[in-house]
Amino acid sequence: MGEARDGVKVKRVVFVTVGTTCFDALVKVADCQEVKDELYRRGYTDLLIQMGRGSYLPAKSTGDDGSLAVDYFTFSSSIADHLRSASLVISHAGSGSIFETLQLGKPLIVVVNEDLMDNHQSELAEELAERKHLYCSRPLTLHQTIASMDLNSLVPYTPGDATPVAKLINRFLGFPEES
Amino acid sequence: MEKNTSCFFSNSSPNLVITCFVAFITIILVRFLYVIYRTGKPLNKRTSQQTLSTLIVLGSGGHTAGMINLLLVLQKDRFTPRFYIAAATDNMSLQKARVFENSLVDSGAKGISAEFMQIYRSREVGQSYVTSVWTTLVATAHALWLMIKIRPQVVLCNGPGTCIPLCVIAFIFKVVGIRWSSIFYVESIARVKRLSLSGLLLYKLQIADQFFVQWPQLQRKYPRARYVGCLM
């Protein structure tokens, strides 16, 4: 948390996203006092929640009383701008959200939805956490993850490349190699 | 005399039918084995001017994002006309595809041709299995109808359940000689240790010509898959 010379507080936004899913457990826990206090303690000023198809509505707050400013919305056609202006992203374990965030180089905590049947999503989150590209958490352990995270220890993710597949497909179909 | 001739005809008709039936089955079987044999074998060389009609199967969540990521590096003038199919209840995928195609037009690419279609789902999440039998039949009939219209030469899919009836029908088209197609399956990047149900089916039935996985763990478990690293 820092103040510029003209007294305006530097905004450090935490962006929470559930993608196109319904993940009330994450929205609820992001809105709970424990987590909000922890985020404030770690120097964040704003909490913006994209709540998707969920039914739990967070409590909006202007944050003037020395706490986190809280706002939310359901969907937007592209969350890229929100991701870009965030200092920390807390996301559901969807691959789209994960890779969009990693490609922008933003620190990321992935929260796995334990209510999903056949939770294959956790495989991806755990693998990337093992490679130290993000932190992986469950709703009930989110505040501990926030308290203990060291964002400097995260390894930047090198974006993947689809050209090898394109080459293989072209070669299979008999198209000539690109010059 | 007449009685004998009529007996002769009434005896030979069933034989004729049986012979035709056996011949038919044999032809289909031979053709089936030929398709199995040729599946996965690269096609003959072609000129760069040739175009292949392409079916692109979209899916909710990260599937469409992954597919568009792949389409970005494919030569659009080779894979045209393009047919995008998404499940009827998936609202965002076709929209994303339209945005992608519009961006191609904006960047001045010529010879662009794309169509966008929806297909009935075999089964909604939580639907009872009894009604699912009927809806699966409806979905399969719908898939057949769309495939007869499209008859693609290339099928691209990356995981959603919608691709199964379409890939199976594409395979049947190869057997029956309606259209030869090359089926490419890229397992979703979210699949690190286990294949999706769609992937498992296509892998076991050996329907896909090329089966790509994005994590080395899957390649070790499924040796016929090709490991291509993370695409995103």
Side-chain angles (χ1 to χ4, degrees), chain A residues 123 127 157 160 172-174, chain B residues 43 46 193-194 217 232:
Chain A
E123 273 181 26
E127 177 73 24
Y157 176 74
F172 183 89
L173 294 170
Chain B
L43 304 184
R46 64 189 68 242
K193 299 191 182 121
R194 294 175 299 153
Q217 295 94 316
M232 295 220 283

Side-chain angles (χ1 to χ4, degrees), chain B residues 48-52 74-80 82 110-112:
Chain B
S48 54
Q49 275 73 44
Q50 270 188 288
T51 64
L52 296 173
L74 286 176
Q75 296 84 339
K76 317 298 178 294
D77 54 350
R78 288 180 181 175
F79 297 89
T80 187
R82 287 182 292 287
K110 303 186 303 296
I112 300 301

Side-chain angles (χ1 to χ4, degrees), chain B residues 111-122:
Chain B
I112 300 301
S113 169
E115 271 186 59
F116 307 88
M117 288 168 257
Q118 290 191 305
I119 189 172
Y120 294 122
R121 264 198 214 266
S122 308

Side-chain angles (χ1 to χ4, degrees), chain B residues 153-191:
Chain B
Q153 293 161 297
V154 173
V155 180
L156 299 176
C157 42
N158 68 351
T162 16
C163 71
I164 292 297
L166 295 165
C167 287
V168 169
I169 291 169
F171 186 84
I172 292 173
F173 278 10
K174 281 156 101 162
V175 171
V176 174
I178 290 177
R179 168 77 90 197
W180 191 271
S181 58
S182 302
I183 301 173
F184 300 98
Y185 183 83
V186 183
E187 183 58 284
S188 147
I189 197 170
R191 293 295 180 162

Side-chain angles (χ1 to χ4, degrees), chain B residues 51-173:
Chain B
T51 64
L52 296 173
S53 64
T54 304
L55 170 63
I56 298 157
V57 185
L58 303 174
S60 55
H63 290 293
T64 295
M67 186 55 81
I68 298 214
N69 186 52
L70 173 61
L71 291 173
L72 282 169
V73 295
L74 286 176
Q75 296 84 339
K76 317 298 178 294
D77 54 350
R78 288 180 181 175
F79 297 89
T80 187
R82 287 182 292 287
F83 300 90
Y84 293 88
I85 289 192
T89 46
D90 176 359
N91 300 316
M92 300 200 63
S93 290
L94 286 179
Q95 185 53 32
K96 285 196 196 140
R98 276 183 224 270
V99 168
F100 170 71
E101 288 288 334
N102 287 337
S103 74
L104 296 178
V105 172
D106 289 344
S107 63
K110 303 186 303 296
I112 300 301
S113 169
E115 271 186 59
F116 307 88
M117 288 168 257
Q118 290 191 305
I119 189 172
Y120 294 122
R121 264 198 214 266
S122 308
R123 181 176 167 266
E124 296 291 342
V125 175
Q127 185 182 341
S128 82
Y129 285 105
V130 174
T131 56
S132 294
V133 172
W134 169 249
T135 50
T136 302
L137 287 173
V138 170
T140 312
H142 192 211
L144 186 60
W145 167 245
L146 290 173
M147 284 295 281
I148 288 173
K149 283 209 294 184
I150 303 173
R151 292 194 303 281
Q153 293 161 297
V154 173
V155 180
L156 299 176
C157 42
N158 68 351
T162 16
C163 71
I164 292 297
L166 295 165
C167 287
V168 169
I169 291 169
F171 186 84
I172 292 173
F173 278 10

Side-chain angles (χ1 to χ4, degrees), chain A residues 20 95 99 103 118 120 123-124 127 131 157 159-162 165-166 168-170 172-176 178, chain B residues 40-43 45-46 50 73 75 78-79 182 184 189 191-194 212 215 217 228 230-232:
Chain A
T20 55
S95 59
F99 285 106
Q103 281 165 356
D118 175 35
H120 75 269
E123 273 181 26
L124 177 64
E127 177 73 24
R131 295 177 182 220
Y157 176 74
D161 185 14
V165 179
L168 290 170
I169 291 176
N170 278 304
F172 183 89
L173 294 170
F175 283 117
E178 296 283 79
Chain B
K41 296 216 166 25
L43 304 184
K45 291 252 177 295
R46 64 189 68 242
Q50 270 188 288
V73 295
Q75 296 84 339
R78 288 180 181 175
F79 297 89
S182 302
F184 300 98
I189 197 170
R191 293 295 180 162
V192 181
K193 299 191 182 121
R194 294 175 299 153
F212 300 109
W215 295 94
Q217 295 94 316
V228 285
C230 288
L231 302 191
M232 295 220 283

Side-chain angles (χ1 to χ4, degrees), chain A residues 29-173:
Chain A
V29 85
D31 191 42
C32 83
Q33 207 52 51
E34 225 173 1
V35 165
K36 287 196 285 200
D37 288 344
E38 198 58 60
L39 289 173
Y40 194 72
R41 215 173 297 149
R42 302 277 325 229
Y44 296 101
T45 61
D46 291 69
L47 175 63
L48 178 60
I49 304 177
Q50 181 264 319
M51 52 175 273
R53 291 189 285 120
S55 46
Y56 172 83
L57 300 178
K60 290 200 192 192
S61 161
T62 53
D64 289 337
D65 52 350
S67 66
L68 218 54
V70 181
D71 196 6
Y72 68 88
F73 64 96
T74 50
F75 294 104
S76 80
S77 53
S78 158
I79 56 167
D81 289 333
H82 297 293
L83 292 174
R84 251 177 239 127
S85 52
S87 304
L88 171 68
V89 178
I90 301 176
S91 163
H92 77 130
S95 59
S97 303
I98 290 178
F99 285 106
E100 219 184 321
T101 308
L102 288 179
Q103 281 165 356
L104 288 170
K106 294 292 175 176
L108 173 60
I109 303 176
V110 172
V111 180
V112 176
N113 187 349
E114 290 161 315
D115 294 330
L116 288 181
M117 268 175 45
D118 175 35
N119 201 343
H120 75 269
Q121 282 188 337
S122 60
E123 273 181 26
L124 177 64
E126 282 158 12
E127 177 73 24
L128 292 171
E130 241 169 90
R131 295 177 182 220
K132 300 211 186 314
H133 294 305
L134 50 84
Y135 281 101
C136 185
S137 171
R138 313 268 147 167
L140 292 178
T141 56
L142 179 59
H143 80 276
Q144 284 156 312
T145 309
I146 296 169
S148 61
M149 69 187 181
D150 172 17
L151 298 182
N152 293 322
S153 72
L154 289 179
V155 174
Y157 176 74
T158 317
D161 185 14
T163 10
V165 179
K167 281 210 176 88
L168 290 170
I169 291 176
N170 278 304
R171 201 181 303 161
F172 183 89
L173 294 170

